Amino acid sequence: MTLRPQYLLLATLACITQPIYADGGQTQTTISVYTEGKLVAGMMFPIGSKVELSAMANRIDTGDKEARFRGNVQGRFTPPAGQSIVLFGEEVVVSTESISAERAKAVQDIEAMAGPDQLYRGRLENGDLTPDEWKQQTAIDVANMKRLAEIIDAYGWPGLRFAGAASQTAFLVLQHADHASQGKYLPLLHDAVKRSDALAGHFAMLDDRVRIADGKFQRYGSQLSTNPLRFKPIEDEAHVDERRRSIGLEPLADYAKRFGLTYSPNEAKGSGVAN
């Protein structure tokens, strides 16, 4: 996660006050950073982890589940098993949420899907998988998607605020699921992106894959074909960067550089050439 320096800076600070603890049990601690009343960054810690924070500010309001620091906030927090990190900014809110055993189990189940999701496909860099290996990987994918669907139906899309780092695993499971599941839950992923609860790149990739599988042109240019390496056909390509910008993605030319390519949108109608 990249945080703008004016919102959250790391430094060394002494003489801090107002210690706050969120300790163990089925709780989750979140540190949110605001500027001009708008949420600009946040950090969410694993369920049940202990986080110690002390800070000083022009105004401090504390309660059972939340502490709000306003004006010239300077503080230090210590993540689980980590060194102290210092932050400062305009407004910082530290909140602790009680998590039900069912929700904690849901997050744990998503986390547990990461290894199986890559059990066989993780070997693709060393060569193709055998039909039997693909069969076993597919069975794993079906089981993972079945459990993920139960979680989504109960809690909604497991985005960053729900699952933390495991939200990446949730996306991978959906990406490797059947086409019907992808189409069904794609709108929920899109809604999560709009509220800054999921990565825009995840939505763009899945949306493009679903559209291509449906025989349509992609919208965001995330998908390339090989021999030669080039972007698969893009719908209304003249405005692709506008669509990418609308969900928080960089220009397509910058995306192409990740693959060591140069994007030239005008060389071929409907399919920018990557050289």
Side-chain angles (χ1 to χ4, degrees):
M1 176 176 61
T2 301
L3 304 179
R4 296 180 181 179
Q6 62 266 39
Y7 299 148
L8 181 60
L9 300 177
L10 305 184
T12 302
L13 185 68
C15 301
I16 44 185
T17 60
Q18 293 293 331
I20 299 170
Y21 300 90
D23 189 4
Q26 300 297 332
T27 61
Q28 188 165 59
T29 301
T30 302
I31 297 178
S32 303
V33 182
Y34 295 82
T35 185
E36 297 180 352
K38 181 180 179 181
L39 179 66
V40 294
M43 289 178 249
M44 189 176 76
F45 299 93
I47 294 173
S49 63
K50 178 179 179 180
V51 180
E52 177 183 335
L53 180 139
S54 56
M56 59 184 179
N58 293 344
R59 176 177 175 181
I60 302 173
D61 298 311
T62 61
D64 293 338
K65 298 182 179 180
E66 179 181 287
R68 187 176 294 267
F69 303 84
R70 296 186 178 95
N72 192 26
V73 182
Q74 302 173 63
R76 178 175 63 195
F77 70 91
T78 304
Q83 295 183 345
S84 294
I85 299 174
V86 171
L87 61 84
F88 56 92
E90 179 180 313
E91 182 177 355
V92 175
V93 177
V94 182
S95 57
T96 301
E97 178 185 6
S98 295
I99 304 297
S100 68
E102 292 78 13
R103 175 176 165 180
K105 177 65 163 54
V107 175
Q108 291 168 357
D109 286 350
I110 296 173
E111 292 171 341
M113 296 176 191
D117 179 80
Q118 296 295 314
L119 184 60
Y120 292 100
R121 63 171 49 89
R123 306 175 188 176
L124 285 173
E125 293 184 359
N126 299 323
D128 294 333
L129 299 182
T130 67
D132 184 63
E133 288 173 330
W134 270 122
K135 181 179 179 180
Q136 294 184 61
Q137 183 65 71
T138 299
I140 291 172
D141 294 344
V142 170
N144 278 348
M145 188 62 232
K146 180 180 178 180
R147 175 57 180 142
L148 181 62
E150 294 173 350
I151 295 171
I152 295 173
D153 292 343
Y155 300 100
W157 178 255
L160 295 167
R161 291 175 177 83
F162 180 88
S167 61
Q168 164 79 11
T169 298
F171 164 71
L172 290 176
V173 169
L174 182 58
Q175 180 181 238
H176 298 146
D178 59 283
H179 184 66
S181 294
Q182 292 176 345
K184 179 179 179 179
Y185 296 115
L186 181 63
L188 297 184
L189 180 58
H190 188 204
D191 289 343
V193 170
K194 289 191 290 186
R195 61 177 183 268
S196 300
D197 200 27
L199 299 181
H202 287 175
F203 166 72
M205 183 177 296
L206 189 61
D207 184 79
D208 284 347
R209 288 191 176 188
V210 168
R211 290 179 64 85
I212 289 173
D214 286 337
K216 302 176 182 178
F217 284 7
Q218 61 176 328
R219 287 174 52 81
Y220 298 100
S222 67
Q223 304 298 299
L224 289 84
S225 58
T226 57
N227 299 321
L229 188 62
R230 59 189 293 140
F231 287 97
K232 292 184 178 181
I234 301 171
E235 177 184 286
D236 186 19
E237 190 171 352
H239 298 97
V240 64
D241 278 341
E242 293 179 22
R243 291 192 297 274
R244 291 176 63 85
R245 184 168 56 251
S246 71
I247 61 171
L249 294 176
E250 78 277 45
L252 195 56
D254 292 343
Y255 177 73
K257 291 178 182 178
R258 300 185 190 180
F259 306 95
L261 304 171
T262 300
Y263 172 66
S264 304
N266 297 321
E267 291 188 20
K269 183 179 180 181
S271 57
V273 176
N275 298 315

